[in-house]
Amino acid sequence: MTARTRALVFGVLMGVASVMASERPIKRSDVVFMGAKDKGIYEIYGATVVSWGSRPWGDTENAIKQFRERVKIAHDLGMRYCGGAAFRTAFAAMMDFDPNWRDSRCLTIEGKPITIPWLWDHKHKKTGEPAYWFCTNSPGYRKFLKWQVMLAMKANVDGLHIDDYNGTAGTEWKGCCFCKYCMAAFTEYLKKNVPAARLKQYGIESLDDFDYKTFLNRKGIKTIKDYRGILQKPEFLGPDYVRFLYFSSAAFVDEARKYGEQLVGHPLMLSVNSSCSSPQSLVIAPQLSYFCGEVHHGAEKSKWGPQQNWKLEPVWTFKLADAVNRPQCATGAGWDWAYVAEHKKPGLVRTWIAQDYAFG
């Protein structure tokens, strides 16, 4: 186990006891839809919950009316409906929302903006700007994200679902974010969470004027390649910084949920687009009502026979979710669905459904 993984696991275990005592709002018999559908579709499948229920597509009267109609259709069938917000992919809406959006971009140690890799072919329709990765530690972007939550509360929804909830956490494979907001927040994190004696071992006598980027630059760490090389080395605060990113992202998710509850006037179920399958994914577990995301089901293995389709990752995911008393609602990963479509094997989907209900 790496130092980075140990640091994440330690923080996760601190909250597991409270998670274990919580009530499970999603039953094993629930049929959870990842998005709003027509009444007839709900009835065919016996749907009971809409997750990924999104929000009005804008703050116009007509958009809000259409959203409320979607929620009403589900409620009339006795279903629960979760509104939603996108914490990473709504880059174009952020640019339209905030004229100072450049101030909220994630920046590498080289000072270059980070773009979202899987949106490489997306651009803002009017400006042609690429899909920037915006920082969930910046006040401008947080204001935009809460605006999304506000729209999602325009109907009497039962829950909040957040897509790409980690926000800035996850940038480590792109070199991490070194924007001024992350630097300031990390200094405060160190003051509260890292003993002064350990900091002195790394040559940090005081945090009064500490800046993580400057600290690394003085040690010769100036490029993305340099930083990737020290990401797991405690003396460079690599594990501490990654841990800070994940826990600060989780803290803001909790803030967003509480904001939504103030607006709608009652408690909300909370779910995120995630599978319960790693130390990083467990950080958010104490706050969640349930996990709801993509799980790799190994569709490509089916070419060697039906027995090969029983990939262990879904089983591991469901059992880990059981261990922290959080239901896991799942769909296949993107490449699973691509394989099914390309090879015309809908029977695989039926196999996944049977397997996933059997294990949780």
Side-chain angles (χ1 to χ4, degrees):
M1 183 182 291
T2 65
R4 170 184 162 195
T5 301
R6 285 196 300 272
L8 283 165
V9 169
F10 175 76
V12 168
L13 292 179
M14 297 297 289
V16 166
S18 62
V19 174
M20 292 295 290
S22 301
E23 181 183 354
R24 292 168 64 100
I26 299 294
K27 303 186 296 292
R28 293 184 184 275
S29 59
D30 273 319
V31 179
V32 181
F33 263 55
M34 300 181 77
K37 301 295 180 183
D38 295 332
K39 177 182 177 181
I41 298 296
Y42 291 147
E43 291 177 328
I44 288 173
Y45 289 95
T48 60
V49 180
V50 175
S51 193
W52 297 62
S54 195
R55 61 193 183 280
W57 298 117
D59 53 7
T60 66
E61 183 178 337
N62 188 53
I64 294 171
K65 178 182 178 182
Q66 291 178 349
F67 176 65
R68 287 172 174 166
E69 289 174 351
R70 296 202 300 270
V71 176
K72 185 177 184 300
I73 289 172
H75 280 172
D76 286 348
L77 291 172
M79 299 169 59
R80 288 173 289 174
Y81 193 104
C82 300
F87 272 31
R88 193 179 286 161
T89 56
F91 72 97
M94 168 60 180
M95 294 178 186
D96 293 336
F97 178 83
D98 186 357
N100 297 316
W101 55 264
R102 288 180 176 83
D103 184 61
S104 296
R105 294 178 297 180
C106 290
L107 303 176
T108 66
I109 196 169
E110 299 168 359
K112 298 177 181 178
I114 300 175
T115 55
I116 302 170
W118 57 93
L119 299 182
W120 61 270
D121 59 341
H122 287 58
K123 296 183 183 298
H124 189 281
K125 291 182 179 180
K126 294 181 179 178
T127 67
E129 294 280 356
Y132 290 113
W133 198 319
F134 287 104
C135 183
T136 42
N137 287 319
S138 70
Y141 194 51
R142 288 188 169 197
K143 184 177 180 180
F144 166 69
L145 296 177
K146 284 190 172 181
W147 176 78
Q148 290 188 51
V149 173
M150 178 272 294
L151 288 179
M153 299 299 113
K154 286 294 184 180
N156 186 28
V157 295
D158 305 280
L160 174 65
H161 176 81
I162 297 177
D163 185 28
D164 288 317
Y165 72 99
N166 270 324
T168 302
T171 54
E172 63 267 24
W173 69 288
K174 295 288 288 181
C176 279
C177 179
F178 284 85
C179 75
K180 60 185 179 183
Y181 301 110
C182 281
M183 296 300 93
F186 183 50
T187 299
E188 293 305 310
Y189 173 87
L190 291 175
K191 291 178 180 179
K192 297 176 182 178
N193 296 280
V194 180
R198 181 156 74 87
L199 293 175
K200 286 183 179 180
Q201 293 178 6
Y202 308 148
I204 303 171
E205 296 293 332
S206 172
L207 290 171
D208 290 343
D209 298 313
F210 180 79
D211 179 85
Y212 186 43
K213 181 178 178 181
T214 301
F215 168 77
L216 291 175
N217 286 168
R218 288 172 179 170
K219 292 179 175 291
I221 310 302
K222 299 181 179 180
T223 68
I224 296 174
K225 183 178 180 181
D226 293 337
Y227 186 66
R228 284 175 176 162
I230 58 90
L231 198 57
Q232 297 185 18
K233 297 182 178 180
E235 64 269 27
F236 291 94
L237 298 178
D240 291 290
Y241 191 58
V242 172
R243 188 173 186 275
F244 150 73
L245 289 177
Y246 277 91
F247 278 85
S248 64
S249 293
F252 182 67
V253 168
D254 189 51
E255 184 178 329
R257 175 188 58 81
K258 290 176 180 175
Y259 175 65
E261 289 178 340
Q262 291 175 359
L263 294 174
V264 80
H266 59 73
L268 293 169
M269 293 193 300
L270 177 65
S271 61
V272 296
N273 174 18
S274 177
S275 63
C276 186
S277 56
S278 68
Q280 290 90 335
S281 68
L282 288 176
V283 171
I284 195 71
Q287 300 175 22
L288 292 185
S289 304
Y290 63 100
F291 288 91
C292 186
E294 298 167 305
V295 175
H296 186 206
H297 281 68
E300 72 282 358
K301 298 292 185 180
S302 64
K303 62 185 178 182
W304 289 294
Q307 70 278 10
Q308 295 294 329
N309 189 50
W310 293 87
K311 186 175 173 63
L312 289 179
E313 184 173 336
V315 178
W316 159 259
T317 298
F318 284 111
K319 294 299 103 182
L320 186 56
D322 277 346
V324 293
N325 198 30
R326 284 297 180 269
Q328 171 75 65
C329 302
T331 182
W335 45 89
D336 287 324
W337 292 111
Y339 185 89
V340 168
E342 180 182 357
H343 297 278
K344 297 179 173 56
K345 292 192 174 183
L348 285 178
V349 182
R350 292 192 287 271
T351 301
W352 300 339
I353 292 172
Q355 171 184 317
D356 293 352
Y357 270 99
F359 286 102

